[in-house]
Amino acid sequence: MNNRLRETFGAILTSAVILISFLGPVPVYAQSPMTSGAIVAFANQDRASASVGALSEDALLDKAAQAKADDMAAKGYFSHIDPSGNAPWVWFKKVGYYYYGAGENLAIDFSDAQSLNTAWMNSPAHRANIVRGTYSRVGIGIARGTYQGKSATFIVEFFAKPYTTRVALR
């Protein structure tokens, strides 16, 4: 590396360090975006702490969770039961997902995955879903809509132990 390039690089690095020092630490919300991957990663950290196997994100469960999140956003409700009286499991059926056991966590108006996960882990019922060892799959849905006249983010987390058929031996 020539001297001029080294000096330029050093000046840029020094400026960056000064700017970061001036601005302070990066806020937590900037470190944990509201993505399905981040939500699943936090859940799996909690499961590891509880000595429970990791969840695998399931594309079909993602589709079911997204459909539920989209429905809540479009119709402006926030509930495990939709306005027509359907339980969460209707969304599994709509995408053809079969399961032995399933659970649902809902949240509204969180902007980052870490604060969302903290809130769920501080709630006994939500925590139980996250660390339940019988669940091996997870699906996440995130949608923007309106709730009680205000813009809102709806988050759906579906858990399942999938049902798999066995082929009969002849």
Side-chain angles (χ1 to χ4, degrees), residues 39-40 43 55 65 103-106 117 120 126 129-130 138-141 155-159:
I39 294 168
V40 174
L55 295 165
E104 177 187 52
N105 284 350
L106 298 178
N117 186 72
W120 276 341
H126 294 98
N129 276 338
I130 291 170
V138 65
I140 306 295
I155 302 110
V156 176
E157 184 176 45
F158 279 155
F159 300 92

Side-chain angles (χ1 to χ4, degrees), residues 29-48:
Y29 62 83
Q31 298 171 0
S32 59
M34 186 61 77
T35 64
S36 63
I39 294 168
V40 174
F42 281 115
N44 279 332
Q45 286 176 6
D46 295 324
R47 288 173 68 88

Side-chain angles (χ1 to χ4, degrees), residues 77-78 106-110 116 120 146-147 151-155:
Y77 71 96
F78 177 65
L106 298 178
I108 192 166
D109 280 344
F110 283 85
L116 168 68
W120 276 341
T146 303
Y147 181 65
S151 181
T153 301
F154 298 83
I155 302 110

Side-chain angles (χ1 to χ4, degrees), residues 60-134:
L60 200 52
L61 268 183
D62 281 343
K63 187 175 178 181
Q66 189 61 55
K68 168 78 183 264
D70 290 342
D71 192 64
M72 287 193 303
K75 295 177 182 172
Y77 71 96
F78 177 65
S79 175
H80 294 287
I81 306 299
D82 74 14
S84 299
N86 294 308
W89 326 125
V90 72
W91 302 101
F92 289 63
K93 186 176 181 180
K94 285 182 179 190
V95 300
Y97 194 93
Y98 300 96
Y99 56 90
Y100 285 112
E104 177 187 52
N105 284 350
L106 298 178
I108 192 166
D109 280 344
F110 283 85
S111 60
D112 70 280
Q114 187 171 21
S115 64
L116 168 68
N117 186 72
T118 299
W120 276 341
M121 290 302 287
N122 286 332
S123 160
H126 294 98
R127 177 187 187 88
N129 276 338
I130 291 170
V131 300
R132 183 164 287 129
T134 55

